[in-house]
Amino acid sequence: MNWGWFEELLRAVNVYSTAFGRIWLSLVFIFRLLVYLVAAEKVWSDDHKDFDCNTRQPGCTNVCFDHFFPVSHIRLWALQLILVTCPSLLVLLHVAYREAKEERLRETQGDNYRRIYPNPGKKRGGLWWTYLLSLIFKASVDLVFLYIFFRLYRNYTLPRVVKCELPPCPNVVDCFISRPTEKNIFTLFMVVTTCVCVVLNLIEATYLIGKRCHRCLEAKGGDSRR
């Protein structure tokens, strides 16, 4: 998979992010995307090939592997990274819409037209809501995937040996997972970085709401003094 578009998207949205958002972007790019590309993807490249069961019954190994690994870790992480990036794309599209609207007004009314958005990238009005909802969506996606991983792989860990007694296995069969310790380390690393990203999203959302409330209180205070 070519993740170049992902890198370009992160760089573009960095312009419109707060300080917390830039930390989140750095964490996603360095500790999630790069680790995924450089190391994690290779760790699971042999998960099916080296899933060894002590039986020669045709189909038993495939059935057991499908039962204990219904969805690959690496594919779930890829889907998670894609979904967690989509809200940032919406922010960029909203800014692009504002810039295009300003350009159309300038073309129709000349250079002395009345600007609707003096700073299209300023998080005010609809763009503020888009940015806030993007934070909530990103945190929700990460939480949902944490729950999925917990349900599929209890406590986010893989055992060294799993026992399978599904048809067409003739009896209880012991199956051995390749490099379980290494996979557990990367799984826990991804879980920890995901939790940190969720905390950063919630902190940034709280910061935006607090800043908005502070401005509203200042505006009301100025009106009352008048």
Side-chain angles (χ1 to χ4, degrees), residues 111-209:
D111 293 335
N112 296 324
Y113 73 101
R114 182 183 177 184
R115 297 178 65 90
I116 301 178
Y117 308 110
N119 186 356
K122 190 74 172 179
K123 289 184 286 294
R124 290 186 177 180
L127 184 60
W128 185 88
W129 283 104
T130 300
Y131 194 89
L132 179 64
L133 292 176
S134 73
L135 295 175
I136 297 173
F137 184 84
K138 287 186 287 189
S140 300
V141 167
D142 278 336
L143 289 173
V144 167
F145 274 89
L146 285 175
Y147 176 75
I148 292 174
F149 274 109
F150 181 80
R151 293 289 296 179
L152 292 179
Y153 310 104
R154 185 65 60 181
N155 297 325
Y156 307 109
T157 57
L158 296 175
R160 288 182 171 84
V161 183
V162 293
K163 295 185 179 295
C164 177
E165 49 183 340
L166 299 170
C169 299
N171 45 44
V172 178
V173 174
D174 291 333
C175 295
F176 304 89
I177 299 172
S178 65
R179 296 186 289 182
T181 302
E182 186 177 14
K183 290 178 179 178
N184 285 331
I185 290 173
F186 276 99
T187 300
L188 292 176
F189 179 83
M190 286 294 196
V191 168
V192 170
T193 53
T194 300
C195 291
V196 174
C197 286
V198 171
V199 171
L200 286 173
N201 287 145
L202 296 178
I203 291 175
E204 188 175 11
T206 304
Y207 168 76
L208 287 177
I209 295 173

Side-chain angles (χ1 to χ4, degrees), residues 59-150:
C60 179
T61 300
N62 288 335
V63 169
C64 292
F65 181 83
D66 183 68
H67 176 72
F68 290 104
F69 297 95
V71 183
S72 171
H73 281 67
I74 210 67
R75 292 181 179 87
L76 274 177
W77 280 332
L79 180 61
Q80 182 181 4
L81 286 172
I82 291 172
L83 291 179
V84 87
T85 309
C86 289
S88 299
L89 179 61
L90 292 177
V91 173
L92 293 180
L93 290 176
H94 198 150
V95 174
Y97 166 77
R98 285 184 164 191
E99 292 175 345
K101 193 171 183 179
E102 286 289 321
E103 182 64 22
R104 286 196 301 269
L105 286 175
R106 189 185 68 80
E107 291 176 354
T108 56
Q109 301 179 15
D111 293 335
N112 296 324
Y113 73 101
R114 182 183 177 184
R115 297 178 65 90
I116 301 178
Y117 308 110
N119 186 356
K122 190 74 172 179
K123 289 184 286 294
R124 290 186 177 180
L127 184 60
W128 185 88
W129 283 104
T130 300
Y131 194 89
L132 179 64
L133 292 176
S134 73
L135 295 175
I136 297 173
F137 184 84
K138 287 186 287 189
S140 300
V141 167
D142 278 336
L143 289 173
V144 167
F145 274 89
L146 285 175
Y147 176 75
I148 292 174
F149 274 109
F150 181 80

Side-chain angles (χ1 to χ4, degrees), residues 51-65:
F51 183 80
D52 189 25
C53 298
N54 59 354
T55 180
R56 293 187 178 182
Q57 173 66 34
C60 179
T61 300
N62 288 335
V63 169
C64 292
F65 181 83

